[in-house]
Amino acid sequence: MDHFVINGTVTLEGEVVTSGAKNSSVAILPAALMADTPVTVENLPHIDDIFTLIELIQYLGAEVKTNGSRSITIYPEKVHSWKAPYELVSKLRASYYFLGSLLTRFKRAVIPLPGGCPLGPRPIDQHIKGFQALGARVDIQHGFIQIEAEQLTGTQIYLDVVSVGATVNLMLAAVTARGKTVLENVAKEPEIVDIANFLNAMGADIVGAGTDEIKICGVKKLQGTAHMVIPDRIEAGTFIMAAASTNGNVLVKEVIPKHLESVTAKLKELGVDLEVGEDWIHVKGCSCPQPINIKTFPYPGLPTDLQALFMPIMTRARGTSVITENVFEGRFKHVDELKRMGANIRVDGRSAIVEGGCGLTGAPVKATDLRAGAALIIAGLLAEGETAVSGIEHIDRGYEKIEEKFNRIGAGIKRVRQE
Ligand code: EPZ
């Protein structure tokens, strides 16, 4: 498999432009199949998850026209199938959004159970509980979820767990259900707001996205629209952390600073010199990082997706830092890889204790998920000597041309293709 070769140490300098949000895009494309007329989506990131989803919607019968670098038009009128194939679905978890979207279009859907994941168990019980509350029958057998309903009827649904995926999937299933649906204890991520804005532009009637209660009045039909995906706050956060970690000077553009408030607040505590503009964040360096404690929470808390990205700089701090992961049970798989590079980190339940003051040295390491992979790239930039990061297929799923973006600010990363 391909791997990245990184020679540290590196100080990043220059400008980087954020792409469109992966976690909006992977819901918007399946949702487009609920419309009767063409849907144009702008500012799509060039990532493997999007390429897989385009293959999936074409498999289901939709035509897709590429309008240039980051824009496609989906023609949903010819969608004829409600069954998604295992070999495509198994490539990305977010394919479970076809449950909500095909249930709305066909009143049924057959989707392979989403694959396992290195973040720990990722059940979909809240999705299923919500579909059943709306009147759908759900069967899980032979590794497939079969779901159908003569009529979806609005109701009140309280999520036992704050779940981005369940919030989105139940919005998709409720938009043309008969009557009113109230979703409570829902996720408030900016991507939820982006997806709700897209659905409302298609004619849905959704209020409250971004709060912990979303009200949806069912409408008769949805028509096509044009939508611009919001910037990817996690990609922006990745480059901000990389710049700070290397004591660099980097301007990150195409950012909505409000979406990163919890991150910039922590970075100031860490000792990062940064300036926040209208649609940019300028990292000017971090010569003496301070030890900090971080806890991940659903939005607007510190995002779990940036948890791994905080670890490399903590190895430079003078003192002990503690990371507590409150969202996923198994999201410390990058710790063992960082320890191979000389990091002194101890995992105790949901916390990782990072002893600072130790220099990292280059080593062969393996990415277990896209964010862990990005953290290993940052560690490679900090480390003395050569680091080889394998498992980069995980990184390519969610970061657009990551080594090209890093190399434009001085990283010197080489992508080595494995024959
Ligand atoms: C979304 O995953 C994101 N993925 C993840 O980003 C992100 O880490 C996560 O939300 C949390 O913010 C996409 O949007 C495609 P959840 P999702 O449902 O929806 C538990 C990345 O790096 N749970 O909010 O799968 C679950 O086990 C990816 O871009 C249930 O118990 O996450 C977890 O502990 C990684 N039952 C917690 O809730 C359910 O039915 C949050 O999961 C659903 C979830």
Side-chain angles (χ1 to χ4, degrees):
M1 303 296 257
D2 294 2
H3 61 274
F4 286 142
V5 174
I6 306 162
N7 277 292
T9 58
V10 168
T11 301
L12 298 175
E13 298 207 343
E15 294 187 4
V16 65
V17 180
T18 308
S19 301
K22 166 178 86 80
N23 293 348
S24 286
S25 306
V26 295
I28 285 168
L29 294 194
L33 301 189
M34 303 192 298
D36 293 340
T37 51
V39 173
T40 294
V41 189
E42 308 274 357
N43 198 33
L44 276 174
H46 272 199
I47 56 176
D48 289 353
D49 273 5
I50 296 304
F51 304 142
T52 302
L53 281 172
I54 290 172
E55 260 189 272
L56 254 167
I57 55 182
Q58 288 173 320
Y59 175 93
L60 297 170
E63 283 180 32
V64 177
K65 188 164 72 70
T66 302
N67 314 315
S69 67
R70 285 172 176 66
S71 164
I72 65 170
T73 297
I74 298 165
Y75 299 82
E77 50 274 26
K78 292 185 182 156
V79 172
H80 50 68
S81 172
W82 55 87
K83 296 181 182 175
Y86 176 74
E87 61 278 3
L88 286 174
V89 166
S90 56
K91 290 183 179 178
L92 79 151
R93 258 187 79 74
S95 38
Y96 54 40
Y97 289 137
F98 284 102
L99 285 169
S101 113
L102 296 173
L103 181 64
T104 286
R105 186 179 179 98
F106 291 112
K107 296 289 178 288
R108 55 184 164 172
V110 179
I111 308 289
L113 271 170
C117 184
L119 309 183
R122 295 180 76 180
I124 58 167
D125 57 307
Q126 298 301 305
H127 302 236
I128 291 167
K129 165 185 156 177
F131 291 138
Q132 290 171 329
L134 288 165
R137 272 185 312 289
V138 182
D139 269 318
I140 296 180
Q141 44 190 332
H142 310 300
F144 282 78
I145 305 168
Q146 307 190 34
I147 182 169
E148 59 184 324
E150 280 73 46
Q151 172 64 53
L152 291 167
T153 306
T155 184
Q156 188 161 359
I157 302 167
Y158 184 89
L159 292 185
D160 307 332
V161 181
V162 174
S163 159
V164 169
T167 303
V168 172
N169 233 342
L170 297 178
M171 272 202 302
L172 301 185
V175 284
T176 62
R178 182 171 53 198
K180 183 174 180 179
T181 298
V182 180
L183 304 178
E184 294 179 309
N185 195 34
V186 293
K188 299 181 271 195
E189 271 67 4
E191 293 77 23
I192 306 265
V193 179
D194 193 26
I195 296 158
N197 290 340
F198 166 68
L199 294 171
N200 283 337
M202 288 210 292
D205 179 356
I206 301 171
V207 293
T211 74
D212 57 8
E213 182 176 276
I214 294 176
K215 294 188 176 79
I216 302 158
C217 290
V219 296
K220 285 268 177 287
K221 55 191 282 206
L222 299 170
Q223 69 278 343
T225 185
H227 180 79
M228 170 83 70
V229 173
I230 59 171
D232 192 315
R233 62 192 167 97
I234 304 300
E235 186 199 19
T238 299
F239 283 101
I240 288 166
M241 289 310 301
S245 303
T246 62
N247 191 21
N249 185 327
V250 176
L251 176 63
V252 181
K253 300 163 79 172
E254 293 301 315
V255 171
I256 300 176
K258 173 128 188 75
H259 292 169
L260 284 161
E261 272 178 348
S262 63
V263 179
T264 45
K266 267 299 161 186
L267 288 173
K268 286 175 183 160
E269 229 183 285
L270 227 165
V272 178
D273 177 6
L274 62 83
E275 190 185 344
V276 178
E278 193 182 326
D279 58 356
W280 51 265
I281 292 177
H282 187 181
V283 175
K284 298 176 182 171
C286 182
S287 52
C288 181
Q290 300 305 308
I292 57 167
N293 297 333
I294 66 170
K295 294 180 167 57
T296 67
F297 286 109
Y299 192 87
L302 198 94
T304 173
D305 293 344
L306 289 178
Q307 177 251 103
L309 288 296
F310 271 87
M311 275 194 190
I313 194 170
M314 288 175 169
T315 65
R316 281 184 50 211
R318 293 210 179 96
T320 305
S321 300
V322 179
I323 293 181
T324 304
E325 171 55 62
N326 290 312
V327 178
F328 287 106
E329 282 167 32
R331 200 167 198 174
F332 284 136
K333 291 192 173 50
H334 45 284
V335 167
D336 285 343
E337 300 305 308
L338 290 169
K339 286 165 76 172
R340 291 167 51 76
M341 299 175 73
N344 179 353
I345 306 173
R346 178 170 54 85
V347 173
D348 178 6
R350 282 197 172 249
S351 293
I353 297 95
V354 185
E355 299 302 342
C358 61
L360 298 179
T361 54
V365 289
K366 183 167 177 45
T368 47
D369 75 81
L370 72 163
R371 311 304 177 187
L376 293 174
I377 289 175
I378 294 177
L381 296 171
L382 290 185
E384 286 294 337
E386 181 178 288
T387 297
V389 181
S390 60
I392 62 176
E393 63 279 7
H394 293 293
I395 302 174
D396 289 335
R397 281 190 43 205
Y399 284 100
E400 177 177 325
K401 303 187 180 73
I402 195 167
E403 79 273 23
E404 290 176 23
K405 288 196 176 187
F406 264 118
N407 289 343
R408 277 201 285 277
I409 52 177
I413 299 170
K414 282 189 284 303
R415 179 186 288 259
V416 176
R417 296 203 182 285
Q418 203 70 38
E419 293 312 317

